């Protein structure tokens, strides 16, 4: 209702321009009991049902920072909605309103969890399933230097290479999918991984298809050979490192800026002047705290 109070609701703007695509990104959506309630990623994740699946055995559910609902179910799904609406407009010539709810966005992202409940992937309690830290071959393990290795050897041919790299004999171990043996196998794997450094394990597994990779810090990820070969991370003028825009398009790849990020309010006056506001009007907006202006000259 905020935009309606400002006289900028979709009905008003679509009358002005029927081709307009009006995206409304909120936590709970435009309608429903919680539509006007405050919330954060963890709340949207909880209401979607997904949070109940995240966490280890006998521990509270925990969210993966705020990536899933805010950015995945929210930003990415809203952006996809805009792309879809643009594609449809090319045929109809009409815009439309996008009601992007983070609850519904992250629920839709989790369709795999809903659809796979009856095939054995998620039939056990949290933390005891194939992909939620229940399986010994889909887990992270601490190395002797306090770092970690990530293991994702699900398929038998990959699992066999994992076992070989760990120096174990497959014939002397329980069957890979023997659920009752998973806790003991995790202890065995953990004790073996703890005997070598992360670099030593990388030298063992890098040339294999065991699906074993190092858990890298941000700094290490940017300097890793694979990522460097693909230029996956970029450095801006002040020396800050960030991911390169993805995915990479063959004909029109993104051209990232290497300038520093603008300060909040740095270009406010410049842009408003460009759009016809007078300096007096801008000063009034600033004094009313409607806009923020960062005066770089004044801070020097």
């Amino acid at each position: 209702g905020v935009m309606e109070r400002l006289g900028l609701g979709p009905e008003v703007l679509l009358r002005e321009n029927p081709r307009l695509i009006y995206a409304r990104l909120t936590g709970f959506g435009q309608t429903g009991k919680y539509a006007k309630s405050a919330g954060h990623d963890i709340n949207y994740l909880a209401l979607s049902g997904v949070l109940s699946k995240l966490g280890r055995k006998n521990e509270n559910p925990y969210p993966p920072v705020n990536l899933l609902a805010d950015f995945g179910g929210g930003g990415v799904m809203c952006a996809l909605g805009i792309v879809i609406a643009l594609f449809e407009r090319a045929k109809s010539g009409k815009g439309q309103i996008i009601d992007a709810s983070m609850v519904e966005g992250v629920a839709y992202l989790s369709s795999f969890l809903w659809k796979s409940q009856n095939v054995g992937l998620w039939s056990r309690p949290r933390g005891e399933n194939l992909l939620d830290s229940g399986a010994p071959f889909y887990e992270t393990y601490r190395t002797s230097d306090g770092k970690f290795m990530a293991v994702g050897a699900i398929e038998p041919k990959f699992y066999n290479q994992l076992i070989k790299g760990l120096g174990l004999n497959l014939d002397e171990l329980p069957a890979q999918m023997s659920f009752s043996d998973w806790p003991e196998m995790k202890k065995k794997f953990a004790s073996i991984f703890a005997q070598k450094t992360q670099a030593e394990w990388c030298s063992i597994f890098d040339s294999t298809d065991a699906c074993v990779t190092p858990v890298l810090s941000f700094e290490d990820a940017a300097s890793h050979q694979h990522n460097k070969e693909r230029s996956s991370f970029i450095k801006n003028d002040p020396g800050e490192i960030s991911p390169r825009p993805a995915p990479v398009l063959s004909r029109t790849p993104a051209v990232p800026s290497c300038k520093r990020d603008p300060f909040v309010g740095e270009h406010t006056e410049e842009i408003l002047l460009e759009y016809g506001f007078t300096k007096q009007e801008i000063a009034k907006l600033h004094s009313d705290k409607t806009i923020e202006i960062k005066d770089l000259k004044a801070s020097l």
Side-chain angles (χ1 to χ4, degrees):
V2 174
M3 297 303 285
E4 281 79 3
R5 291 199 297 273
L6 295 173
L8 298 172
E11 291 77 11
V12 174
L13 297 187
L14 282 166
R15 280 201 301 269
E16 290 284 324
N17 179 8
R19 291 175 54 83
L20 186 69
I21 294 163
Y22 195 113
R24 313 197 79 165
L25 175 57
T26 59
F28 298 111
Q30 294 298 312
T31 58
K33 178 180 178 179
Y34 290 170
K36 295 184 178 180
S37 299
H40 281 294
D41 181 285
I42 192 170
N43 307 116
Y44 314 138
L45 203 57
L47 204 63
S48 73
V50 176
L51 185 56
S52 70
K53 300 292 185 183
L54 306 179
R56 294 185 176 276
K57 181 180 179 180
N58 298 326
E59 292 186 10
N60 295 352
Y62 62 82
V65 291
N66 67 326
L67 293 177
L68 270 186
D70 279 353
F71 298 113
V76 174
M77 295 300 283
C78 184
L80 178 60
I82 293 171
V83 171
I84 293 169
L86 284 167
F87 183 76
E88 192 281 335
R89 189 178 71 180
K91 296 182 179 181
S92 69
K94 297 179 181 179
Q96 55 187 309
I97 304 165
I98 299 167
D99 180 359
S101 154
M102 294 185 195
V103 173
E104 293 166 359
V106 74
Y108 187 56
L109 277 180
S110 73
S111 295
F112 164 69
L113 305 185
W114 293 83
K115 298 287 188 179
S116 61
Q117 290 180 97
N118 297 325
V119 296
L121 290 180
W122 299 99
S123 57
R124 301 169 68 84
R126 180 176 64 253
E128 296 182 24
N129 299 279
L130 184 67
L131 302 178
D132 64 358
S133 79
F137 49 86
Y138 204 87
E139 177 62 287
T140 57
Y141 293 99
R142 183 183 292 270
T143 58
S144 63
D145 55 347
K147 298 182 179 181
F148 296 89
M149 298 297 290
V151 177
I154 298 175
E155 292 80 0
K157 62 180 179 179
F158 303 150
Y159 181 73
N160 292 350
Q161 294 193 46
L162 166 66
I163 296 304
K164 181 180 178 182
L166 292 176
L168 297 172
N169 187 334
L170 191 65
D171 297 331
E172 299 174 357
L173 300 175
Q176 180 184 356
M177 297 304 294
S178 176
F179 296 114
S180 61
D181 290 302
W182 279 3
E184 283 304 313
M185 289 297 291
K186 286 180 74 169
K187 292 178 182 177
K188 182 184 289 289
F189 287 4
S191 67
I192 295 174
F193 271 107
Q195 295 171 16
K196 290 182 171 63
T197 66
Q198 185 185 74
E200 288 173 324
W201 285 119
C202 286
S203 67
I204 291 172
F205 286 113
D206 269 3
S207 59
T208 73
D209 280 333
C211 301
V212 179
T213 51
V215 177
L216 300 176
S217 66
F218 276 13
E219 183 179 356
D220 290 339
S223 61
H224 190 274
Q225 181 183 353
H226 174 81
N227 295 332
K228 287 176 68 175
E229 289 174 359
R230 287 185 52 83
S231 301
S232 300
F233 294 87
I234 55 178
K235 183 181 291 188
N236 65 9
D237 292 340
E240 299 166 332
I241 297 174
S242 61
R244 179 190 63 185
V248 181
L249 305 184
S250 64
R251 187 171 53 80
T252 57
V255 181
S257 170
C258 288
K259 296 180 180 178
R260 64 162 173 79
D261 291 341
F263 299 114
V264 174
E266 181 177 350
H267 303 114
T268 303
E269 184 174 11
E270 174 188 340
I271 291 170
L272 291 179
L273 285 171
E274 182 181 330
Y275 274 85
F277 286 79
T278 66
K279 288 200 172 186
Q280 291 75 20
E281 289 172 327
I282 295 172
K284 179 68 165 58
L285 290 170
H286 187 223
S287 65
D288 292 343
K289 298 185 177 181
T290 304
I291 60 173
E292 186 171 340
I293 296 177
K294 185 174 180 66
D295 190 347
L296 295 183
K297 293 179 182 178
S299 64
L300 294 176

